[in-house]
């Protein structure tokens, strides 16, 4: 077990060295560790291919699906989408719910508004999908924009 733990730790350090330069703001999101960020980077393969956060949410399976029953309208979890990314978002959500965080506050607000636990968790995953999209787009723009060297301009 010690030998395997040493191997896993070394691999995680190697992965962190690869992921940190790619998505530093994503890693700053509470609940998103190195392994989750690496999974998101690998599965998404370039956030620029999604024209909006809504398109990203539809692709990852967090976009709400409307369901009608008589006079009531509800939304349910999409059964489609990329299940690996959805699972990564779920890990972030569960981690945020364990700790004092914006995610916990968001679910508390949704519950106070009358949502069930399942509806509030689905809404949190959608909210996190938007946040992940925004952070990954920010990181990609920072990587691809030309760096201006102010010392050379002086």
């Amino acid at each position: 077990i010690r030998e395997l733990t040493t191997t896993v730790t070394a691999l995680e350090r190697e992965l962190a060295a690869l992921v940190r330069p790619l998505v530093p703001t994503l890693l700053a999101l509470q609940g998103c560790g190195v392994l989750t960020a690496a999974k998101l980077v690998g599965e998404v393969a370039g956030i620029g291919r999604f024209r909006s956060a809504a398109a990203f949410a539809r692709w990852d399976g967090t976009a709400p699906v409307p369901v009608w029953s008589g006079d009531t309208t509800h939304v349910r979890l999409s059964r489609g989408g990329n299940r690996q990314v959805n699972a990564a978002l779920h890990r972030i959500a569960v981690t945020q719910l364990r700790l004092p965080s914006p995610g916990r506050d968001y679910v508390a607000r949704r519950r106070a508004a009358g949502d069930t636990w399942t509806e509030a968790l689905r809404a949190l995953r959608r909210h996190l999908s938007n946040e992940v999209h925004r952070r990954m787009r920010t990181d990609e723009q920072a990587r691809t924009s030309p760096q201006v060297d102010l010392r050379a301009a002086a």
Side-chain angles (χ1 to χ4, degrees):
I1 292 175
R2 284 187 189 121
E3 200 174 294
L4 288 174
T5 302
T6 304
T7 304
V8 167
T9 304
L11 289 171
E12 190 170 354
R13 268 192 232 117
E14 185 179 329
L15 193 56
L18 295 170
V19 171
R20 271 197 188 96
L22 294 175
V23 284
T25 59
L26 181 61
L27 285 168
L29 178 65
Q30 188 175 18
C32 185
V34 170
L35 297 177
T36 301
K39 181 55 122 174
L40 288 168
V41 167
E43 289 290 331
V44 171
I47 197 73
R49 65 190 179 118
F50 299 103
R51 62 188 181 277
S52 66
F56 180 69
R58 180 119 170 105
W59 175 78
D60 68 28
T62 59
V65 176
V67 179
W68 295 273
S69 176
D71 289 336
T72 59
T73 303
H74 295 283
V75 293
R76 67 171 172 82
L77 178 67
S78 170
R79 298 293 175 207
N82 187 312
R83 303 310 302 157
Q84 296 294 316
V85 173
N86 198 295
L89 293 170
H90 183 77
R91 280 192 299 274
I92 296 170
V94 168
T95 303
Q96 284 195 2
L97 290 174
R98 274 189 311 119
L99 307 167
S101 68
R104 182 187 270 185
D105 298 340
Y106 182 81
V107 168
R109 282 194 309 273
R110 293 295 298 231
R111 296 278 292 151
D115 282 357
T116 66
W117 177 256
T118 306
E119 290 169 338
L121 184 59
R122 183 207 51 78
L124 176 60
R125 275 201 308 268
R126 172 56 196 264
H127 179 72
L128 287 171
S129 173
N130 291 343
E131 184 67 19
V132 164
H133 178 267
R134 186 184 64 75
R135 288 174 184 249
M136 289 184 81
R137 188 167 291 274
T138 300
D139 289 334
E140 186 175 271
Q141 287 172 350
R143 266 194 329 274
T144 59
S145 67
Q147 298 296 321
V148 176
D149 188 5
L150 296 177
R151 291 171 294 174

